[in-house]
Amino acid sequence: MKLISLLFIFLSITIATEAAKPAKFNTQKDLLLVQLDCKTDVDDLHTAAALITLMSHSSFSDVSYHAVAGTYGIQEGLYVPPNDLMQLAFEDNWTDAHNNLKPAVEKVKVIVKRHINKGGKIWIAEAGQSDFTADLIKAILKETPELDIAKYFNVVQHSDWNEKVTDPDKLSFVKEVSSYHKIPDGNAVGNGTPGFRTPTYGEWKTKLKNKKLLEIWQLAYDLGLQYNGVDGRYNNKAIAEHGLDFSDLSEVCWIMGIEDIKDTKAFFELYAY
């Protein structure tokens, strides 16, 4: 009897978990929006390089995506200037929210509405805080107040700290109106998502054969060392030890259904070319 009860509980939890999972990313209609706060941790530089590496791979060549830099919350500290890297990696497929917040919201809103109008969903990887997401959703609701935001917006967050330094009202708003998914932290290995924070890892230099990707990673690596811990910025120990930290990419992996990647080494073995 006890065994039957335990089996019933297990099946109930499994069914509830599967029901809570959003539908798979639809490459025909959906949009991947990756929002990088770049304040004050330099890990977003590595995340940008990892994102373009993933999106450049043949497995994801059909994915519609857009990157946004400067989507920070209420944390103190200096910004990590990513513009040279963003331009090199994404060319015209990125938006600067640090220098031009309101125009950035309007620009991204147009991109988002284009996908919604054809029935697509918006998958937001919060490589930072939810403040920009709140502004974006409010701008869309201003034009289309009848839109069911929870139906179209999947917001993915992996960091407790990111939530703590989001404006509380904006975080509550995003959680209330969207489909908000909190996943295991991408800084750790073996918790259900990839662990992409790896001190002393330098194998990317030999794994990457594509000259453009190698150039992007070299710039991300150099900028990371240039700004890490400087002028009161957060001192990322993995990067200080000449390793990599693109932990925020765990959210993108979850969205793309490849969250079973173990770690940084596995990522480069799978997607470096």
Side-chain angles (χ1 to χ4, degrees):
M1 190 71 179
K2 192 176 288 184
L3 180 61
I4 294 173
S5 298
L6 287 171
L7 181 61
F8 176 76
I9 292 169
F10 172 77
L11 288 172
S12 299
I13 292 171
T14 302
I15 292 169
T17 302
E18 289 179 351
K21 268 192 169 184
K24 188 178 179 181
F25 187 95
N26 187 331
T27 55
Q28 301 301 312
K29 301 186 293 184
D30 294 355
L31 173 69
L32 171 64
L33 201 56
V34 182
Q35 300 178 172
L36 306 151
D37 67 313
C38 302
K39 185 181 179 183
T40 67
D41 194 346
V42 297
D43 63 345
D44 289 319
L45 301 171
H46 291 190
T47 298
L51 174 63
I52 192 59
T53 302
L54 192 66
M55 293 295 102
S56 299
H57 194 271
S58 58
S59 300
F60 302 99
S61 58
D62 293 332
V63 172
S64 294
Y65 72 95
H66 189 77
V68 188
T71 58
Y72 45 79
I74 58 174
Q75 70 264 46
E76 296 181 356
L78 294 178
Y79 189 60
V80 177
N83 289 39
D84 289 345
L85 174 65
M86 298 295 285
Q87 194 62 42
L88 179 64
F90 306 113
E91 298 178 355
D92 61 347
N93 192 27
W94 74 283
T95 297
D96 182 357
H98 172 64
N99 290 306
N100 303 288
L101 179 57
K102 288 184 179 179
V105 170
E106 290 302 307
K107 176 184 173 182
V108 176
K109 181 188 72 175
V110 172
I111 299 170
V112 164
K113 287 184 66 179
R114 190 184 307 141
H115 288 269
I116 290 176
N117 289 340
K118 62 181 180 181
K121 298 182 186 299
I122 311 304
W123 301 75
I124 301 179
E126 296 278 27
Q129 297 71 50
S130 297
D131 298 65
F132 185 86
T133 299
D135 293 344
L136 176 62
I137 292 174
K138 287 176 181 177
I140 290 171
L141 285 174
K142 188 175 180 181
E143 290 188 3
T144 52
E146 74 284 355
L147 188 69
D148 184 353
I149 296 298
K151 178 182 177 181
Y152 289 99
F153 281 80
N154 284 293
V155 180
V156 185
Q157 177 60 265
H158 82 113
S159 167
D160 291 336
W161 186 82
N162 282 343
E163 290 186 324
K164 289 176 183 176
V165 293
T166 297
D167 179 287
D169 291 336
K170 291 187 176 183
L171 180 60
S172 296
F173 171 76
V174 171
K175 285 186 173 182
E176 180 183 346
V177 302
S178 73
S179 294
Y180 189 90
H181 309 280
K182 183 68 181 297
I183 67 171
D185 197 306
N187 287 284
V189 175
N191 62 2
T193 64
F196 290 146
R197 186 177 186 275
T198 312
T200 71
Y201 181 88
E203 295 175 37
W204 58 272
K205 296 177 182 179
T206 55
K207 291 288 183 183
L208 288 165
K209 306 303 180 185
N210 183 289
K211 290 183 179 180
K212 179 68 178 291
L213 289 178
L214 190 58
E215 183 183 2
I216 289 168
W217 271 103
Q218 188 65 58
L219 181 58
Y221 179 81
D222 292 343
L223 287 173
L225 290 175
Q226 179 182 340
Y227 288 103
N228 188 38
V230 174
D231 295 328
R233 291 180 178 86
Y234 174 73
N235 182 33
N236 187 313
K237 292 182 179 179
I239 292 175
E241 294 177 22
H242 297 271
L244 299 183
D245 182 352
F246 51 100
S247 49
D248 287 315
L249 196 78
S250 62
E251 298 163 355
V252 176
C253 292
W254 188 85
I255 292 168
M256 292 294 121
I258 54 172
E259 67 270 27
D260 57 343
I261 300 172
K262 181 183 177 182
D263 54 18
T264 300
K265 181 180 179 181
F267 175 82
F268 280 97
E269 287 175 349
L270 286 166
Y271 298 111
Y273 70 95

